[in-house]
Amino acid sequence: METRSNHILVGSVVLALLAAVIIGAFWFSRLASGDEQLYDIYFGQSVNGLAKGSGVSFSGVPSGQVKEIELWKNDPSFVRVRISVKEGVPILQGTSATIQGIGFTGVSEIQLDGAVKGAPPIACPSTNIKSECPDGVPVIPTKPGALGELLNNAPLLLERLSTLTERLTELLSDRNQASIASILVNMEKLTGSLADRAPDIAATLAQTRIAIEQAGNAAEQIGKLAGTTNDLLDQHGRPLMADLQKTVKAAQSSMENLDAALSEARPGLHTFSTRTMPEVDLLVRDLRTMSKSLSAVTEKLNQQGAGSLLGSPKLPDYKGK
């Protein structure tokens, strides 16, 4: 009987100590963690990699953990994730949540960031609570993360990959391969021809280099000639220009004098043309008439002698038969 009593006493002490340890651990964990705030996040994408107890980080700093993961009863296309965040973490207006993978292990965590300095904290309003907090706790909005964007864009990526594959198949068809082979053959022939003409090409390049050097020398000589011409014009051109200016001034003075003389002679020329010219014309006519008369007398003297001038010529005697 005494042995049995000892066993009961020992068992009771052990149970008491075990209960004390459990209560102490819970108490110390509450002290260590402090008060926590609960928030809901509604994801419209896959939450693969998240699990109950997964970490929650704010700008990379561990700040809480996932408490619940379940399909939202109001809309099964969304997944409701409830998280607990340590007191003092600035969950302010502008904060958003994303799912971020941890390395290559397949495990994910929730990343919070984007809090605006001076903004009010995210909390449930005093009115219309159901619309802002459908499950009784504040809601943190989401934004697509790298994994989410990749999964959302996967169909588009697959379509583009399919199109690219089709284009590559068309590009590498038998006909195009034959064309590419022909182009490569022609390129090989061209490179062979260029290799065969390499000495001629080198000689042409050498001649071209010489021609360029000669052109450079000629340009230099032209520059020197231009300089010499400028010096010559500066030394002799200016006196010549001065003499030419003097000559032009003298010619201009002579033209002015000639204009004055013509102005003075213009009345006499008018009188000569209106009065003297008709008289001269009449005189010329008289001279022509006198010339004709003298020509007739001269011809008469030549034919009949000087006696023809004194009387008329005798008629021949008429004798009858």
Side-chain angles (χ1 to χ4, degrees):
M1 189 70 180
E2 184 178 356
T3 304
R4 185 177 178 183
S5 299
N6 291 335
H7 286 298
I8 293 174
L9 180 62
V10 171
S12 301
V13 172
V14 171
L15 290 175
L17 290 175
L18 183 60
V21 169
I22 294 173
I23 294 173
F26 179 76
W27 179 259
F28 282 118
S29 64
R30 289 294 302 273
L31 290 177
S33 61
D35 293 335
E36 294 180 342
Q37 297 292 332
L38 298 177
Y39 296 91
D40 280 341
I41 305 171
Y42 297 93
F43 290 100
Q45 63 191 43
S46 173
V47 293
N48 188 25
L50 282 181
K52 195 173 181 179
S54 296
V56 176
S57 298
F58 190 94
S59 298
V61 178
S63 303
Q65 62 180 353
V66 175
K67 292 293 186 179
E68 299 176 4
I69 298 178
E70 63 181 6
L71 294 176
W72 191 28
K73 58 184 179 180
N74 295 336
D75 188 354
S77 63
F78 287 91
V79 177
R80 183 181 69 85
V81 178
R82 176 161 293 184
I83 62 173
S84 63
V85 180
K86 296 178 182 178
E87 186 179 10
V89 177
I91 309 298
L92 308 178
Q93 295 291 337
T95 302
S96 59
T98 58
I99 298 176
Q100 184 175 3
I102 302 175
F104 298 96
T105 60
V107 178
S108 300
E109 68 174 6
I110 293 179
Q111 178 70 37
L112 304 177
D113 58 8
V116 179
K117 182 179 180 181
I122 296 177
C124 292
S126 58
T127 60
N128 198 12
I129 298 178
K130 283 295 182 181
S131 62
E132 300 292 334
C133 304
D135 291 307
V137 296
V139 177
I140 298 176
T142 63
K143 69 177 181 180
L147 180 60
E149 290 182 354
L150 180 62
L151 294 176
N152 291 333
N153 295 329
L156 181 59
L157 292 175
L158 291 175
E159 181 180 357
R160 291 184 176 178
L161 285 174
S162 177
T163 303
L164 178 61
T165 304
E166 291 177 359
R167 296 285 177 84
L168 288 175
T169 303
E170 293 177 359
L171 179 63
L172 298 177
S173 63
D174 295 339
R175 180 178 178 182
N176 291 337
Q177 287 182 4
S179 299
I180 294 172
S182 178
I183 291 172
L184 293 176
V185 171
N186 293 331
M187 288 293 296
E188 185 177 0
K189 291 181 180 179
L190 178 61
T191 53
S193 299
L194 290 175
D196 295 336
R197 299 296 298 276
D200 297 337
I201 294 174
T204 303
L205 291 175
Q207 293 176 359
T208 304
R209 190 180 298 110
I210 294 172
I212 293 172
E213 291 178 356
Q214 292 177 352
N217 295 332
E220 185 178 359
Q221 295 296 328
I222 290 172
K224 293 180 180 179
L225 179 60
T228 305
T229 303
N230 290 333
D231 295 338
L232 181 62
L233 289 176
D234 291 337
Q235 295 177 1
H236 301 287
R238 292 180 180 177
L240 291 175
M241 290 298 293
D243 294 340
L244 181 59
Q245 290 177 355
K246 292 179 181 179
T247 304
V248 170
K249 289 181 180 179
Q252 186 176 3
S253 178
S254 299
M255 290 297 295
E256 292 175 355
N257 294 332
L258 180 59
D259 289 338
L262 289 175
S263 299
E264 293 176 356
R266 190 171 290 110
L269 291 174
H270 180 69
T271 303
F272 177 77
S273 62
T274 57
R275 296 181 180 180
T276 307
M277 286 303 293
E279 295 178 357
V280 170
D281 189 22
L282 182 57
L283 178 60
V284 170
R285 291 178 182 178
D286 293 341
L287 288 175
R288 286 179 179 175
T289 303
M290 186 178 65
S291 176
K292 288 180 180 181
S293 299
L294 290 176
S295 297
V297 171
T298 303
E299 185 177 358
K300 193 173 184 179
L301 285 174
N302 289 332
Q303 292 178 357
Q304 299 177 9
S308 62
L309 297 175
L310 298 177
S312 57
K314 293 182 178 181
L315 296 172
D317 293 337
Y318 177 76
K319 294 180 180 182
K321 295 183 180 180

